[in-house]
Amino acid sequence: MPDTVIILTLADTSPWTVPADFDPAANTIKAIGGGGGGRGLGTGRGGYGGGGGGAYALVTNFDPGASSTIACSIGAAGGNGANGGDTTFNSTTVVAKGGTGAPAGNPGNGGAGGLASACTPTTGAQNGGTGGNGGAGGAAIQGGGGG
């Protein structure tokens, strides 16, 4: 039988209802933190950097016990230069760290990706990608976001 895949997005509200057929001995919960925000267009000297990507974290064989609902929070993307939010499942069972917003500067560097070492659990976690740098020398080139 194929795996059942459930995707939660910002549009979903907490808590998540545990399906009746949920198998605590055969599941994987995966999470990605929100991406950091890039900066707006630079003026005269170049473009600003892109925001860092959110980190990835996972846990296998999550057992909800007697709980029929699980608290979860999907990390939102950062606004202009702001950090992305953390994504959490069951408060601290899974925490995927958000990426860092692009720092001020013209031309600007990209923001750092969320750190795997700051995720819960750290086993299997992956850093988010670094945002791209902005263009220099009067080029109005914006950096891309981290993956």
Side-chain angles (χ1 to χ4, degrees), residues 50-115:
Y56 167 84
L58 76 158
V59 67
T60 56
N61 300 331
F62 169 73
D63 186 352
S67 298
S68 61
T69 60
I70 303 296
C72 61
S73 175
I74 308 301
N80 186 17
N83 295 342
D86 296 344
T87 295
T88 64
F89 185 82
N90 198 36
S91 299
T92 59
T93 299
V94 179
V95 178
K97 301 302 283 184
T100 302
N106 191 341
N109 295 324
L115 295 176

